[in-house]
Amino acid sequence: MSPPESPGARAPAPPIRLRVRAIRLHLEAGTWGPGVEREMAEEWGMDPAVVRRHAAEASRQIEAVLDAGAAARQIEADLAIGIQMALEAGDLNALRGLLETRLKLHGIGAHKRPENSPSVHTEAPSLAKFFRPQEEKPS
């Protein structure tokens, strides 16, 4: 059994990726500034210099979106983080959706259509005649 928490005990700071994401949302909304930086440093129990470094990374991520290649790398990194979080949470539905999105990003499976599936052709009774050996016609 763990000892009871003291009234002034602080929850542990979220992982870096989530801190950077929180700052990125502030930057995108135009609400980032020294006051928000101080509040986050206090909330996370860390030096404001660390929060500034996270803000620099968040700013870099936003700027990367302007470059198509960098944007694709950022999307891939965000998907990888989402996949990791879904695995940690045991959320199989989220994991499946993120993996499908990741595959589509790389062009894998995005071109497939259900009607092109081999099982449709071999199991559909209306198409079965095309898969039976044809009788040879006398010449």
Side-chain angles (χ1 to χ4, degrees), residues 23 32 37 40-41 44 46-56:
I23 294 169
W32 183 253
E37 179 184 297
M40 290 187 146
W44 295 333
M46 58 186 53
D47 189 288
V50 175
V51 177
R52 277 191 293 281
R53 285 195 300 272
H54 294 335

Side-chain angles (χ1 to χ4, degrees), residues 21-32:
R21 182 176 183 275
I23 294 169
R24 194 171 73 194
L25 292 174
H26 277 286
L27 288 169
E28 290 169 350
T31 58
W32 183 253

Side-chain angles (χ1 to χ4, degrees), residues 62-74:
I62 291 170
E63 290 173 9
V65 173
L66 301 176
D67 172 17
R73 288 188 299 276
Q74 185 59 51

Side-chain angles (χ1 to χ4, degrees), residues 1 11 15 21 40 56 60 77 90 96 98 111 123 127 132:
M1 186 171 172
R21 182 176 183 275
M40 290 187 146
R60 187 201 60 76
R96 190 180 97 225
L98 289 164
H111 63 284
E123 296 174 8
L127 299 176
R132 289 189 197 131

Side-chain angles (χ1 to χ4, degrees), residues 104-127:
K104 286 178 186 176
L105 177 69
H106 294 287
I108 301 170
H111 63 284
K112 293 185 180 178
R113 295 180 11 199
E115 60 268 20
N116 292 336
S117 170
S119 63
V120 172
H121 295 298
T122 57
E123 296 174 8
S126 61
L127 299 176

